[in-house]
Amino acid sequence: MKRILLADDNPGLRAALRLLLETRLEFELIVEARDMEHVLAQVEDSRPDCVILDWELPGRPIHERVPVLRTLVPHLKVIAFSARPESKQTALEEGAEAFFSKNEPPIFILDMIQALCQQENESEDPMDRERTCPLDQGQDCTAEGGSLGEHTV
């Protein structure tokens, strides 16, 4: 079972994401972290397979985050997320494998996390996948609207 570290400074959002992950996906959620220093300590201790990282998390400068995490766990997959969609380019340029906005529909977020964190083959890029909801039989997830903050979990 894959291990995930969930990092966000908002306890309500962490709780919502944790509930989604625990009830919808088959992952062992190791720990939650509230700031970058806590993330580094938990990555070193727990050696997760995947980190879901709030890109605006307090702590180290943005350009140091992914490289420092990868010195601790070379195979670590990093999914960045933010309330600011304009952070996507920076997150991907700095080494994150994927990015999602906190305004994305929960099914899109779950699909991305599952695709990346369960991925064994490094050559597959989850960002190349189309934005479709598997439950909507190919319809765009944004057609229904909504976001993690707007859905009842």
Side-chain angles (χ1 to χ4, degrees):
M1 187 173 284
K2 298 288 184 170
R3 298 165 300 189
I4 294 180
L5 187 147
L6 176 59
D8 192 288
D9 58 339
N10 179 328
L13 185 61
R14 276 197 322 262
L17 274 172
R18 182 183 189 111
L19 185 60
L20 273 172
L21 292 169
E22 288 177 341
T23 60
R24 303 290 175 103
L25 300 178
E26 304 248 343
F27 293 115
E28 173 187 343
L29 188 64
I30 299 174
V31 71
E32 298 175 16
R34 65 190 171 281
D35 60 42
M36 207 48 213
E37 297 313 311
H38 192 209
V39 168
L40 294 174
Q42 294 299 333
V43 165
E44 190 169 27
D45 290 343
S46 305
R47 308 201 50 84
D49 301 294
C50 187
V51 172
I52 302 170
L53 179 67
D54 176 5
W55 201 243
E56 277 78 39
L57 199 63
R60 288 185 178 261
I62 288 174
H63 68 276
E64 293 179 9
R65 294 176 179 204
V66 176
V68 170
L69 289 170
R70 295 244 172 76
T71 62
L72 299 172
V73 180
H75 72 276
L76 186 66
K77 293 183 174 141
V78 178
I79 299 174
F81 70 104
S82 173
R84 300 174 354 146
E86 62 271 16
S87 297
K88 177 180 180 177
Q89 182 175 348
T90 304
L92 297 176
E93 286 173 356
E94 295 298 332
E97 278 82 8
F99 177 91
F100 67 85
S101 169
K102 291 181 181 180
N103 296 321
E104 297 285 359
I107 191 68
F108 175 74
I109 294 169
L110 287 170
D111 189 42
M112 176 183 284
I113 292 169
Q114 184 170 26
L116 185 71
C117 293
Q118 288 185 338
Q119 178 182 39
E120 297 294 335
N121 182 350
E122 296 292 326
S123 63
E124 182 184 344
D125 183 356
M127 297 307 292
D128 289 339
R129 301 171 65 222
E130 291 190 31
R131 280 183 46 124
T132 57
C133 289
L135 301 178
D136 292 339
Q137 299 166 348
Q139 295 176 0
D140 187 340
C141 289
T142 57
E144 297 296 317
S147 69
L148 184 61
E150 296 170 359
H151 284 71
T152 304
V153 181

